[in-house]
Amino acid sequence: MITFKDYYNNEVKLSFDDHPFSKEPKHVWVICKYKGKWLLTKHRERGLEFPGGKVEEGETARDAAVREVMEETGGNVQEISYIGQYRVDGRKDIVVKNVYFAVVDQLIEQETYYETEGPVLLNFIPNRVKQMKKYSFIMKDGVLENCMDYLRHYQVR
Ligand code: GTP
């Protein structure tokens, strides 16, 4: 278990164990790759981030992850694997999110990308993300760097 503070000074706990905080998390976040590049979305308010969102009624977290990637980037998920889970103790609520790694095999243009401007492909994620205004706050805590280390270590990517 790794503990740190996020961009808003909320406490975050991250673990690579099997669903340590909730068996039925209400949120998902998906680190995506397409043709060797990172696939992000540009949220209209928050800026650049990996896609994700809320699990809907009657849906599994994995289904939500696949759906959110399509809705926010047009990406068709070919493979997806669970990486870990994190818990944010926010001022109002506690948010529990599953993190996945997904390989996308096709980008299909969508009529709407919902609250985002659609797909953004990057060759690399800069080390200075935390100082860069165009990146979303959800890219600015220890979740991203620890998940990237995890993926590198297990050579998933
Ligand atoms: P809506 O209900 O969609 O309008 O959103 P909301 O902003 O109330 O969001 P949500 O329930 O997703 O999150 C509540 C709070 O938890 C946010 O305002 C953030 O402070 C925090 N939070 C949500 N997701 C993350 C995340 O991925 N990382 C971090 N560090 N904090 C998050």
Side-chain angles (χ1 to χ4, degrees), residues 9-154:
N9 215 31
N10 292 321
E11 187 172 274
V12 183
K13 288 190 168 74
L14 167 69
S15 166
F16 297 106
D17 294 343
D18 182 19
H19 297 79
F21 307 114
S22 170
K23 291 287 166 225
E24 291 188 351
K26 300 274 190 300
H27 302 255
V28 294
W29 196 48
V30 193
I31 296 176
C32 294
K33 272 213 140 164
Y34 171 69
K35 288 190 174 170
K37 294 185 176 182
W38 300 108
L39 172 62
L40 290 79
T41 187
K42 189 174 175 198
H43 189 280
R44 291 189 203 280
E45 275 125 46
R46 298 193 296 259
L48 295 175
E49 61 189 29
F50 282 115
K54 292 200 171 102
V55 180
E56 289 175 356
E57 202 73 23
E59 190 181 47
T60 64
R62 185 174 295 252
D63 292 343
V66 170
R67 175 182 51 74
E68 290 285 357
V69 172
M70 178 57 78
E71 285 182 359
E72 297 189 339
T73 71
N76 181 61
V77 170
Q78 180 186 30
E79 279 173 43
I80 185 161
S81 45
Y82 170 89
I83 302 179
Q85 197 176 63
Y86 63 99
R87 173 193 149 127
V88 183
D89 279 39
R91 260 167 300 175
K92 281 187 285 174
D93 322 279
I94 290 174
V95 172
V96 178
K97 270 189 202 193
N98 274 3
V99 187
Y100 295 90
F101 174 68
V103 175
V104 162
D105 62 359
Q106 216 187 335
L107 279 185
I108 304 164
E109 199 170 316
Q110 304 292 295
E111 265 178 34
T112 172
Y113 294 96
Y114 297 82
E115 61 278 17
T116 85
E117 289 172 16
V120 175
L121 289 167
L122 298 178
N123 287 321
F124 61 92
I125 309 287
N127 291 328
R128 290 180 57 255
V129 159
K130 282 184 186 153
Q131 288 97 59
M132 296 169 79
K133 230 183 125 195
K134 68 176 179 177
Y135 284 88
S136 161
F137 80 94
I138 71 172
M139 302 285 284
K140 292 178 175 163
D141 59 39
V143 174
L144 178 68
E145 57 190 86
N146 283 286
C147 288
M148 287 300 195
D149 286 349
Y150 177 94
L151 291 173
R152 215 174 290 126
H153 186 251
Y154 290 100

